[in-house]
Amino acid sequence: MVTFKLRQLSVPPGHRIILHDVNWQKFEAILEELGDHRAARLAYSHGTLEMRMPLPKHEKAKVIIGDLVKILLEELEIDCETFGSTTFKREDMVFGVEPDDSFYIQNHAQMIGKERIDLKVDRPPDLVIEVDVTSKTQLDAYEALRVPELWRYEDSKLQINILQDGKYIESEISSTFSNLPIVEVIPQFVEQSRTLGRSPTLRAFRQWVKEEITQI
């Protein structure tokens, strides 16, 4: 039998590796071996582990959308705790996912100061963001973990998924920002950042949010 350490693997940007017949103990061992400071993203579902290395296109979209959400929360004076690409997992559900960004909003108070998350005790994040470039988001994993709201950005379009009766339904309205046209506006500003640049785009978005607030 040939054995090797996962650190020996080199996954080029935009590519992925899929490992089959990985039990939960091996998944936990892989997480431990790879550590927290890594570029690769992991997704685990019923014995199948996917390791993917994001492209710069993915990372830029992920960062700008996360920044836009933070501006929304700040301007609307909504408290939150951010957990980025934390690994959210539950052994009893045999799922583990690492979103591109994650926010505790309604349940932010319980998460202040937390450095480890145990979904048997802690609630899942209220909002997660996924940018799909080379692979698709595992909706069933987020459904199983009972994440209330999931944003998926793909091909310059934003899809909002709201959890209802344990399943996601596509919605034109965000539960978190119900008074704002999120599905239309977020893609507009993401695309604007490609030509105008990050900082001017964020300033323009903040001004837009302030103007919208006065009309609510």
Side-chain angles (χ1 to χ4, degrees):
M1 178 182 293
V2 177
T3 60
F4 59 90
K5 291 185 176 296
L6 286 172
R7 292 182 184 275
Q8 295 174 260
L9 292 175
S10 178
V11 184
H15 290 72
R16 60 180 179 159
I17 292 175
I18 297 178
L19 303 176
H20 299 285
D21 300 321
V22 178
N23 62 32
W24 189 263
Q25 289 69 33
K26 288 181 181 178
F27 172 52
E28 292 277 20
I30 288 169
L31 287 174
E32 184 69 24
E33 180 183 337
L34 293 178
D36 295 330
H37 303 291
R38 53 180 163 80
R41 292 283 178 266
L42 305 183
Y44 180 84
S45 173
H46 294 282
T48 298
L49 176 64
E50 178 184 326
M51 302 173 60
R52 58 188 185 274
M53 187 66 72
L55 289 165
K57 176 182 179 181
H58 170 278
E59 295 297 276
K60 288 178 72 68
K62 174 194 80 171
V63 170
I64 196 73
I65 294 173
D67 288 341
L68 296 176
V69 171
K70 293 181 181 78
I71 288 174
L72 283 166
L73 293 167
E74 290 169 5
E75 293 300 327
L76 291 167
E77 298 185 357
I78 299 173
D79 292 339
C80 77
E81 292 293 314
T82 61
F83 278 79
S85 296
T86 294
T87 305
F88 295 96
K89 53 189 172 67
R90 277 193 64 166
E91 181 177 2
D92 57 334
M93 295 179 177
V94 207
F95 280 111
V97 289
E98 296 177 339
D100 288 317
D101 214 340
S102 57
F103 299 83
Y104 281 88
I105 302 170
Q106 288 87 351
N107 298 300
H108 77 278
Q110 299 96 309
M111 307 308 294
I112 295 173
K114 285 253 184 183
E115 295 183 352
R116 294 283 181 179
I117 293 178
D118 180 357
L119 290 184
K120 290 182 180 179
V121 179
D122 301 315
R123 290 180 178 273
D126 298 294
L127 171 65
V128 300
I129 296 169
E130 286 279 14
V131 176
D132 291 347
V133 176
T134 58
S135 60
K136 296 289 186 180
T137 297
Q138 293 184 340
L139 289 179
D140 56 346
Y142 288 110
E143 286 176 343
L145 298 176
R146 304 192 67 78
V147 173
E149 185 168 352
L150 165 66
W151 291 9
R152 294 175 56 217
Y153 184 79
E154 182 181 15
D155 295 331
S156 301
K157 295 179 181 179
L158 181 70
Q159 181 183 102
I160 295 177
N161 296 278
I162 305 297
L163 193 69
Q164 287 191 5
D165 299 322
K167 291 290 183 181
Y168 281 122
I169 62 167
E170 187 174 348
S171 173
E172 292 296 315
I173 299 172
S174 165
S175 295
T176 309
F177 309 108
S178 57
N179 293 320
L180 297 172
I182 297 298
V183 170
E184 301 171 11
V185 171
I186 294 295
Q188 290 175 8
F189 280 92
V190 173
E191 291 306 304
Q192 181 175 314
S193 71
R194 299 181 189 277
T195 55
L196 188 61
R198 174 185 176 276
S199 296
T201 296
L202 295 183
R203 287 194 292 269
F205 182 72
R206 189 180 294 275
Q207 182 60 39
W208 176 84
V209 175
K210 288 180 177 179
E211 292 172 357
E212 289 294 309
I213 291 174
T214 63
Q215 301 176 29
I216 293 176

